[in-house]
């Protein structure tokens, strides 16, 4: 697999649908990790424009919650609590005891759990949404394909936030 100069995997230009979806999600996961690399615990907690709680650390925690929700709850039907219960259901709230290393380890574990749960699943295999989520989507069921596309969209949107946060922190832009 080819990589960008910063080490992120480049999605293939030609591949079957599953390989393409998986590659783009992996690219966006690697982008979030890249945006957080090399920062101190203090800097990873800086908000773009205080007082909103959006920080790079909060984004990592949030994406751990998103990974858990879509792959464990929706796709696998598991009844699991929030990853960072004390941070609220969205994961954005920070606690002094948890730094980037811990949050990244938890996020990576959620990514690995999600991969294991969908290994061998067909793109048309169903997941089941909560009533609240179904209200937004218009249906209680979604396919693994839908989940993958949604996850790519979720990471792409939040990687845009990560770009702005990182630029505010130390001026680093791009990728």
């Amino acid at each position: 697999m080819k990589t960008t100069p910063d080490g992120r995997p480049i999605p293939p230009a030609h591949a079957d649908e599953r390989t393409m979806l998986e590659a783009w999600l992996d690219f966006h996961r690697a982008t979030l990790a890249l945006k957080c690399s090399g920062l101190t615990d203090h800097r990873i907690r800086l908000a773009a424009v205080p007082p909103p709680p959006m920080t790079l650390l909060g984004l990592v925690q949030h994406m751990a919650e998103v990974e858990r929700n879509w792959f464990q709850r929706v796709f696998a039907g598991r009844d699991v609590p929030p990853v960072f219960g004390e941070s609220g259901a969205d994961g954005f709230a920070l606690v002094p005891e948890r730094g980037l290393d811990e949050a990244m380890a938890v996020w990576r574990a959620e990514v690995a759990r999600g991969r294991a749960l969908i290994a061998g699943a067909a793109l048309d295999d169903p997941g089941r949404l909560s009533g609240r989520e179904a209200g937004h989507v218009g249906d209680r069921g979604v396919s693994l394909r839908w989940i993958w596309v949604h996850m790519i969209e979720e990471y792409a949107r939040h990687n845009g936030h990560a770009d702005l946060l990182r630029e505010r922190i130390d001026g680093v832009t791009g990728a």
Side-chain angles (χ1 to χ4, degrees):
M1 174 175 284
K2 293 182 180 182
T3 61
T4 60
D6 55 34
R8 292 174 297 147
I10 297 173
H14 305 280
D16 62 89
E17 184 179 14
R18 183 185 183 101
T19 301
M20 189 71 70
L21 291 169
E22 186 172 34
W24 274 106
L25 183 53
D26 285 344
F27 174 83
H28 282 292
R29 287 170 172 154
T31 299
L32 179 61
L34 177 67
K35 287 295 171 185
C36 297
S37 67
L39 294 173
T40 64
D41 190 55
H42 169 73
R43 293 181 121 189
I44 204 76
R45 294 169 180 274
L46 293 175
V49 181
M54 188 172 294
T55 64
L56 285 171
L57 180 56
L59 281 174
V60 171
Q61 292 177 172
H62 174 68
M63 292 313 295
E65 297 289 358
V66 169
E67 292 273 354
R68 176 171 280 197
N69 183 61
W70 288 100
F71 293 116
Q72 289 194 60
R73 290 188 193 107
V74 174
F75 187 73
R78 293 183 173 177
D79 183 18
V80 292
V83 181
F84 302 109
E86 77 284 346
S87 298
D90 65 5
F92 282 111
L94 306 181
V95 296
E97 307 81 44
R98 185 173 37 257
L100 181 61
D101 289 345
E102 180 183 346
M104 291 294 285
V106 170
W107 170 67
R108 286 185 176 110
E110 289 301 320
V111 168
R113 236 178 250 108
R115 285 179 195 203
L117 288 170
I118 64 174
L123 291 175
D124 290 327
D125 284 353
R128 186 150 176 83
L129 296 171
S130 69
R132 184 181 62 80
E133 290 166 326
H136 299 295
V137 174
D139 198 315
R140 288 293 302 243
V142 291
S143 67
L144 177 56
R145 176 184 291 105
W146 191 98
I147 293 169
W148 243 329
V149 170
H150 174 68
M151 290 296 292
I152 292 166
E153 174 272 329
E154 183 90 11
Y155 272 98
R157 182 165 30 97
H158 286 312
N159 283 338
H161 299 136
D163 282 339
L164 296 172
L165 288 162
R166 184 65 190 249
E167 184 174 4
R168 181 184 182 279
I169 291 167
D170 63 4
V172 171
T173 60

